[in-house]
Each structure stands twice: as C-alpha cells, then as structure tokens.
Amino acid sequence: DPSETFELHLSSSGSYIEEIRSRIPAVRFDSVCNLKTEHDCSVCLSEFQPESEINHLTCGHVFHQDCLEKWLN
C-alpha cells in the first residue's frame, strides 16, 4: 500500500539500500507519472525521461534510482 509509512532498520551490512530496493522498487517514470507535466529528480534536479528508472516515495518525492542510492550511501 503506497500510503503506508515505514521505518528503515540498519542492516548488518550497514546499508539501507537493500531495504529501500525491497520496499520501494524502481519503476519506469512513464508508468507512474503524467508525462504532460515536467518532473525533476529531487537529488540531481534533472528532468526525468520517460524511460528513467525511478523510486516514487509515499511522500510524493521522485528520484532517479541511482541518485537515491548514491544519496543514501
């Protein structure tokens, strides 16, 4: 359920990445967002391309998958 909130728990490897990947899988931008309006990645501020792999958080923020993972590291 996208409206659910969750807590991230630090794994034994010290990385949140695997938990993010399991709870918020990456999807193609054009499968979840309206292409008639512009959307930018909240990390790199670049405009998404239709084929961009993104993570769409429950708060509404949208990130390139790679940008989110780099930011979390």
Side-chain angles (χ1 to χ4, degrees), residues 11-60:
S11 68
S12 59
S13 69
S15 170
Y16 293 109
I17 300 302
E18 289 306 317
E19 190 164 351
I20 290 288
R21 286 179 180 157
S22 68
R23 293 180 182 239
I24 310 168
V27 295
R28 276 180 55 118
F29 174 72
D30 60 358
S31 72
V32 293
C33 293
N34 178 355
L35 297 176
K36 294 181 190 225
T37 59
E38 290 185 21
H39 295 276
D40 298 330
C41 175
S42 299
V43 175
C44 72
L45 306 177
S46 297
E47 186 176 329
F48 292 110
Q49 299 303 310
E51 67 280 356
S52 296
E53 289 290 317
I54 63 161
N55 291 103
H56 189 201
L57 305 184
T58 57
C59 61

